[in-house]
Amino acid sequence: MNETWLKALILGCTFGAVLLLVEVLANWLASTRTEGKAINLRLKMIAQGVDRERAMSLLRRRASALPSNLPPFLQNLGQKLERMLISAQVTIPTGRLILIILLAPVAILFFILVIMIVLGIPLALGRLLMIATFAGAVGAFLPLMFLQMKASRTRKKMEEQFPVALDVFVRGLRAGHPIAAALDLLTVEMPDPIGSQFGVVVDEVTYGAELRDALQAMADRWDLDDMRMFVVSLSVQSETGGNLAEILDNLSKVIRERQSMMLKVRALSSEGRMTAIMLTILPVFAFSFLFIMNPGFYLDVADDPAFLPGFVMLIVMYVIGFITIRRMVDLKV
């Protein structure tokens, strides 16, 4: 084969490779755009083949409701956990998630104990307490703190999106759409989290629930005063009549002014809230990281007689400080 044919073959192979690469990239971009049309979690679940009733059940967590015969303390904790999971948009059933959180520290503790027995490291009460604390921090506390932070961000985004959703709803009403159709606009036009939550409302109404009850259930799930004002406005308008679009337009302005005041309060309290976050997460994170990197730093002093009462007192003081800081930065506007 002469040099001319060799160059032509190389150029032809290069052209084919570039053409194939361009086609692959074009197909990838097309598929990404197709998946991107589902702008919220509910639409993504439906696009993936999940039944609408199943998606509704996962998003509102009605199928994972806690037993009614629990003690009041555990019932309140379970309701707070479910509300946090709704805010964090976690679709894992509550019972399964609680089981994972309970079993993870036990599994970590068992794994460390097996390693210590294999290596011939002696076990004492102080060391067992230290290892159990580490297992609880890594297996339960840090994951719950991550879910709490994600839920807080989602609730903040929900509060920011709600006036925009009211504006879209008002425009739909002024364009001549009925209330149900105007709500359906929010399910396809608004991103998460508010798009999925209004989608749950539309699905509940589709399956026979009253619109007021469905909206009230959404307000109870998220525990937001703005949503409750929206439900009250709809209820009053349905009983007394009036221009619903104008009522909701005024409500949107009130909510925006309330949010402006809340932002001022958050700005003034930002130092305290950041201090609370650092004092809550940093000790647990530092303890877990140091225990992983250098376990002897703690285990070598765990046999000291003063270690056990000192460590228990340290945990009690941390819990008291955690509760006190949370109450200090929990501002209501």
Side-chain angles (χ1 to χ4, degrees):
M1 181 178 295
N2 56 26
E3 186 176 352
T4 304
W5 284 103
L6 183 60
K7 290 182 179 179
L9 180 62
I10 294 175
L11 290 175
C13 292
T14 304
F15 175 76
V18 173
L19 183 63
L20 181 62
L21 179 61
V22 170
E23 185 178 358
V24 171
L25 289 176
N27 291 334
W28 178 75
L29 289 174
S31 63
T32 303
R33 283 190 173 186
T34 302
E35 293 176 356
K37 291 180 181 179
I39 61 174
N40 54 58
L41 180 59
R42 171 179 169 271
L43 294 180
K44 289 179 182 179
M45 293 172 66
I46 294 175
Q48 293 172 359
V50 180
D51 185 73
R52 289 184 61 179
E53 185 177 0
R54 175 63 176 169
M56 177 183 66
S57 176
L58 291 175
L59 290 173
R60 69 178 182 175
R61 310 193 68 83
R62 185 66 58 83
S64 59
L66 297 170
S68 58
N69 56 353
L70 291 176
F73 176 72
L74 295 178
Q75 188 73 24
N76 293 334
L77 285 180
Q79 291 176 356
K80 291 182 179 179
L81 177 61
E82 285 196 332
R83 189 175 293 117
M84 181 184 68
L85 296 179
I86 291 173
S87 300
Q89 291 191 304
V90 177
T91 57
I92 302 176
T94 306
R96 186 186 305 173
L97 185 63
I98 292 177
L99 184 62
I100 293 173
I101 293 175
L102 291 177
L103 291 181
V106 176
I108 295 174
L109 176 62
F110 179 76
F111 179 73
I112 296 176
L113 290 179
V114 169
I115 293 178
M116 293 181 66
I117 292 174
V118 171
L119 296 178
I121 301 175
L123 298 176
L125 183 59
R127 294 187 176 186
L128 289 176
L129 179 61
M130 178 67 65
I131 296 171
T133 304
F134 169 76
V138 175
F141 187 81
L142 289 180
L144 287 176
M145 288 300 299
F146 172 76
L147 290 175
Q148 180 63 39
M149 292 176 61
K150 185 178 179 181
S152 299
R153 288 197 300 266
T154 307
R155 284 178 61 86
K156 182 180 178 181
K157 189 175 181 181
M158 186 78 164
E159 294 175 352
E160 295 173 352
Q161 288 180 328
F162 195 70
V164 181
L166 284 182
D167 292 341
V168 175
F169 184 68
V170 169
R171 292 191 186 101
L173 293 176
R174 288 175 175 170
H177 293 290
I179 294 179
L183 283 176
D184 193 54
L185 285 176
L186 301 177
T187 66
V188 296
E189 297 293 338
M190 298 294 298
D192 277 332
I194 201 164
S196 296
Q197 295 304 315
F198 273 108
V200 172
V201 172
V202 171
D203 289 340
E204 289 180 341
V205 173
T206 302
Y207 284 105
E210 293 289 337
L211 177 60
R212 177 181 174 180
D213 296 337
L215 290 172
Q216 184 63 48
M218 182 180 69
D220 293 338
R221 285 195 301 268
W222 286 85
D223 193 22
L224 293 178
D225 294 332
D226 298 342
M227 289 185 178
R228 292 192 175 95
M229 289 190 290
F230 173 60
V231 176
V232 171
S233 300
L234 285 178
S235 302
V236 172
Q237 191 274 337
S238 63
E239 295 176 359
T240 62
N243 190 342
L244 180 59
E246 184 178 355
I247 294 173
L248 296 181
D249 192 19
N250 294 330
L251 177 61
S252 177
K253 295 177 182 178
V254 171
I255 292 175
R256 281 191 168 90
E257 292 176 357
R258 184 172 176 270
Q259 286 183 353
S260 177
M261 183 183 297
M262 184 63 184
L263 289 176
K264 293 179 182 178
V265 174
R266 289 178 63 87
L268 294 174
S269 63
S270 59
E271 182 180 357
R273 289 184 293 105
M274 183 55 65
T275 303
I277 293 174
M278 296 302 295
L279 292 179
T280 301
I281 299 179
L282 189 59
V284 181
F285 179 78
F287 166 73
S288 303
F289 181 77
L290 187 58
F291 191 91
I292 293 174
M293 299 302 297
N294 186 18
F297 181 82
Y298 293 108
L299 296 180
D300 291 343
V301 298
D303 296 331
D304 191 279
F307 171 79
L308 188 59
F311 189 71
V312 173
M313 183 60 65
L314 179 65
I315 295 177
V316 172
M317 292 177 64
Y318 175 81
V319 172
I320 295 174
F322 173 78
I323 296 174
T324 304
I325 292 175
R326 287 296 299 270
R327 290 186 176 182
M328 289 175 62
V329 300
D330 187 16
L331 303 176
K332 302 295 184 181
V333 178

